Amino acid sequence: MIRLDNVSLAYQRGRNVIDGFSIDLPSHRRLAILGGPETGKTTLIGLLAGVVDPTAGRIERRAHLSFPAGYIRAFRMSNTVRQNIIFAARIYDADPGEVVSFICESIDISELINVPMRDVPIRGRLLVAYALTYALPFDTYLFDNMIGPGDPATRDLWRQLYEARTASAGAIVATRQSRVAEAYCDCALVLRRDASPIFFENLRDGIALFEADAAAGQQADAAGLPTKTGALQESEVGSLGDQAMVKVPE
């Protein structure tokens, strides 16, 4: 379980992108974080991972959470790919040899393994970073927009690795695509501008609210009206399934 207690994060200009979140999130489920632009999906993933600090409130993690999948900012550019992998394995108390073997068996980096990270193309760095995420054991894996990079040829690889890891661990996937949520998740947290986020035990109910909010936003844009994400009134949200919905305390 992951507990957010009145968590806020303000941008430099003072606007809160995350504003007073208080909620318990499951760490053992496949949770989709659904939201449109500027609702704080990426920011929330960063907060959960600990790569971003809240400006107010606290986060209690009762599970071992991953860094955001594909996170490359921690790589030491002067070190080789192998040295970076070994360093990460030791940080997360994993066997370096096993982690190197896992990555080499998952993706073809034989020509890059002893190359300084600064000389590896960005696509290669991303491949290594995602494979490294899957190579390390976590209770909950964090994903921002995608479960793996690359062309359709590697899509099956990432799906297989995702399914293998989440067979015994949880996942939190931030996305604004309903099809991604349907493919990889079983419950949802819907982030809403100008309204409280809502957690749904039933994924379909969460997607219904998310899509209704998106449709209302498009209609407002077309009419030249201010966009308000609280597209559905509370009574209408309840019609999606009161038993499946938990409103975040305000």
Side-chain angles (χ1 to χ4, degrees):
M1 188 266 287
I2 308 156
R3 173 164 291 171
L4 282 74
D5 182 12
N6 200 31
V7 170
S8 295
L9 181 72
Y11 285 144
Q12 288 183 348
R13 294 182 180 179
R15 183 180 71 83
N16 281 0
V17 62
I18 300 291
D19 191 7
F21 279 19
S22 291
I23 190 171
D24 291 343
L25 299 177
S27 57
H28 62 288
R29 300 278 300 275
R30 297 181 178 187
L31 171 68
I33 297 178
L34 287 165
E38 299 183 4
T39 53
K41 299 182 302 299
T42 294
T43 300
L44 184 54
I45 290 292
L47 285 166
L48 294 176
V51 298
V52 178
D53 294 325
T55 50
R58 67 186 184 91
I59 301 173
E60 181 180 351
R61 303 169 183 85
R62 300 182 184 178
H64 187 201
L65 275 60
S66 78
F67 44 84
Y71 191 74
I72 63 175
R73 293 183 182 179
F75 285 151
R76 296 182 175 182
M77 294 295 108
S78 60
N79 286 358
T80 66
V81 171
R82 184 192 300 274
Q83 288 170 332
N84 273 284
I85 294 171
I86 290 173
F87 178 78
R90 289 173 175 162
I91 288 292
Y92 289 97
D93 199 27
D95 182 271
E98 291 180 1
V99 174
V100 171
S101 295
F102 180 98
I103 293 173
C104 289
E105 290 170 6
S106 298
I107 59 175
D108 183 10
I109 58 168
S110 56
E111 296 182 358
L112 299 176
I113 192 70
N114 293 315
V115 172
M117 190 64 76
R118 63 169 173 262
D119 296 331
V120 176
I122 185 63
R123 181 179 179 276
R125 294 180 199 172
L126 278 174
L127 287 172
V128 172
Y130 270 90
L132 176 61
T133 305
Y134 288 110
L136 297 170
F138 296 103
D139 296 327
T140 310
Y141 291 82
L142 302 175
F143 300 90
D144 184 16
N145 290 314
M146 59 184 181
I147 65 163
D151 52 33
T154 60
R155 191 173 298 153
D156 287 343
L157 166 66
W158 303 119
R159 178 182 283 274
Q160 290 168 11
L161 292 176
Y162 179 89
E163 294 293 340
R165 277 306 190 192
T166 59
S168 58
I172 299 177
V173 183
T175 183
R176 57 177 172 180
Q177 299 183 48
S178 297
R179 62 180 180 81
V180 171
E182 290 174 331
Y184 300 112
C185 301
D186 58 36
C187 59
L189 178 71
V190 182
L191 303 185
R192 317 171 75 200
R193 276 186 291 175
D194 305 318
S196 297
I198 302 175
F199 173 76
F200 288 87
E201 287 280 355
N202 184 289
L203 176 65
R204 284 303 319 168
D205 290 341
I207 289 175
L209 175 60
F210 166 66
E211 292 181 343
D213 274 349
Q218 291 172 358
Q219 291 174 0
D221 289 342
L225 299 173
T227 301
K228 185 174 178 61
T229 307
L232 300 184
Q233 300 300 316
E234 294 299 333
S235 59
E236 295 176 291
V237 172
S239 70
L240 296 174
D242 291 330
Q243 298 303 317
M245 183 190 77
V246 180
K247 188 173 182 295
V248 179
E250 295 185 9

